[in-house]
Amino acid sequence: MHELGIAFYIIDMVENLGRQNDLTSVARVKLRLGEVSGVIPSYLQDVWRWAADRTELMRAAELEIESVPAITRCLDCNRTYATVEYGRTCPYCASEKTELIQGQELELDEIEAT
């Protein structure tokens, strides 16, 4: 389960930011998580509680996840479409010349200190 490693990575990042900004406690961490990032939100939520409670700064900090839909752009007709629904083939012109333009995000968006 790589979600545990991701949780520790985020916690380390927040702790470093906390030290740089003299924070004493973090109440909430908000992530932007892409639909095709490969991270399962429910797994990340499950391991978050266990991992965050092992640190002084993050004890009881909530994890809020904003889902970012996967969107693909067709390079032939320049239209965009839902990646998960249609995959790599453009539903408008059937071209396979496409590129994912969003949906792989794993970004720290906001930290709420108390």
Side-chain angles (χ1 to χ4, degrees):
M1 175 186 307
H2 70 287
E3 283 79 4
L4 183 57
I6 291 168
F8 281 130
Y9 179 77
I10 294 164
I11 290 167
D12 287 345
M13 190 179 348
V14 172
E15 285 184 321
N16 287 334
L17 290 167
R19 280 190 293 277
Q20 293 171 15
N21 293 283
D22 298 320
L23 301 181
T24 57
S25 179
V26 171
R28 184 175 61 91
V29 173
K30 183 177 177 184
L31 293 180
R32 290 177 33 84
L33 187 61
E35 188 177 24
V36 293
S37 66
V39 178
I40 300 171
S42 62
Y43 289 3
L44 186 56
Q45 288 283 5
D46 288 346
V47 299
W48 176 263
R49 180 76 291 120
W50 179 85
D53 283 348
R54 279 154 179 70
T55 69
E56 190 65 34
L57 180 68
M58 306 289 293
R59 193 172 322 278
E62 294 299 319
L63 177 64
E64 181 181 325
I65 298 174
E66 175 189 343
S67 181
V68 179
I71 304 292
T72 295
R73 181 173 68 88
C74 177
L75 300 174
D76 282 338
C77 72
N78 206 34
R79 295 177 78 178
T80 59
Y81 62 90
T83 306
V84 172
E85 185 175 354
Y86 297 105
R88 293 187 51 132
T89 303
C90 176
Y92 303 106
C93 72
S95 173
E96 292 185 4
K97 295 179 187 173
T98 59
E99 67 179 347
L100 183 67
I101 58 173
Q102 77 174 37
Q104 289 185 310
E105 294 82 353
L106 176 56
E107 301 171 351
L108 179 59
D109 187 48
E110 188 178 310
I111 300 169
E112 181 182 317
T114 55

